[in-house]
Amino acid sequence: MARSTLYLLLLSLLYITITVRSAATSSSSLSFIRSSCRATTYPALCVQSLSAYAPSIQGNQRQLAQTALSVSLARAQNTVSFVNKLTKFKGLKGRETAALRDCAEEVSDTVDRLSKSIKELKSMRSTKGQDFQWHISNIETWVSAALTDETTCVDGFAGKALNSRVKTSIKTRIVNVAHVTSNALALINKYASRY
């Protein structure tokens, strides 16, 4: 009986220790995310979109930048799907359909550029010096181009001739992708500035 009680007590202490450590790690990771997000244009969105990944980020600036890129990529992929579905709606005018197709192409380019950026960032774990700068320059160029793609998509819906519901729904999604992409670029720049 005493042995069972001691065993149960040890298990309880182990559980409490693990829980406390996990909470402390999560708290410090969230603080790191909040602190890093201050360098972004949209800090509240940055914290909101990255907080769920705090356990995997754990105060690592490269991992934070990579996660921010992954969040941006996921939102861009969802937006491409959404835009492609809209192109199939009946009753759209020719100009609306053309704008939607152009937008889908632009956002597909964004997906491609963000995918390349993630691969590049993953491949440079131990690079230094000029090699590091070359990789970072590639990433910054691709992410900046992704932001341009997003802006071009929104520009295609300018004018009053287009369906306002379609325009609003597209613009809302694209602006969100642009904001998280902008935040990712800021976090990449912050990571690059440390080297």
Side-chain angles (χ1 to χ4, degrees), residues 27-96:
S27 177
S28 67
S29 292
L30 281 173
S31 294
F32 171 73
I33 290 169
R34 283 188 198 104
S35 171
S36 297
C37 284
R38 287 187 200 123
T40 67
T41 307
Y42 310 99
L45 177 62
C46 179
V47 172
Q48 178 265 325
S49 65
L50 296 173
S51 292
Y53 305 97
S56 65
I57 292 170
Q58 294 187 0
N60 182 317
Q61 198 72 46
R62 188 188 59 76
Q63 185 63 41
L64 178 65
Q66 188 173 312
T67 303
L69 281 171
S70 295
V71 166
S72 183
L73 174 62
R75 291 188 184 189
Q77 289 169 326
N78 288 338
T79 300
V80 168
S81 296
F82 178 74
V83 172
N84 284 331
K85 285 177 187 172
L86 283 180
T87 61
K88 294 172 180 43
F89 280 173
K90 295 186 183 201
L92 293 177
K93 298 173 192 163
R95 185 166 177 227
E96 291 168 333

Side-chain angles (χ1 to χ4, degrees), residues 125-154:
R125 291 183 195 267
S126 61
T127 59
K128 294 181 181 173
Q130 286 184 326
D131 199 31
F132 178 86
Q133 289 303 321
W134 183 77
H135 287 291
I136 283 293
S137 177
N138 287 340
I139 294 166
E140 290 169 335
T141 299
W142 290 327
V143 176
S144 295
L147 282 168
T148 301
D149 293 334
E150 294 152 11
T151 301
T152 303
C153 169
V154 171

Side-chain angles (χ1 to χ4, degrees), residues 69 71-77 79-80 102-118 142-153 173-174 177-178 180-182:
L69 281 171
V71 166
S72 183
L73 174 62
R75 291 188 184 189
Q77 289 169 326
T79 300
V80 168
D102 289 345
C103 182
E105 187 177 319
E106 293 294 338
V107 182
S108 292
D109 288 346
T110 292
V111 167
D112 181 55
R113 289 180 171 117
L114 292 173
S115 296
K116 286 180 183 176
S117 298
I118 291 168
W142 290 327
V143 176
S144 295
L147 282 168
T148 301
D149 293 334
E150 294 152 11
T151 301
T152 303
C153 169
R173 285 178 179 258
I174 295 295
V177 173
V180 293
T181 304
S182 172

Side-chain angles (χ1 to χ4, degrees), residues 154-171:
V154 171
D155 290 347
F157 290 92
K160 295 181 181 181
L162 298 175
N163 182 313
S164 63
R165 281 184 28 208
V166 170
K167 187 181 349 183
T168 301
S169 62
I170 294 288
K171 189 172 182 178

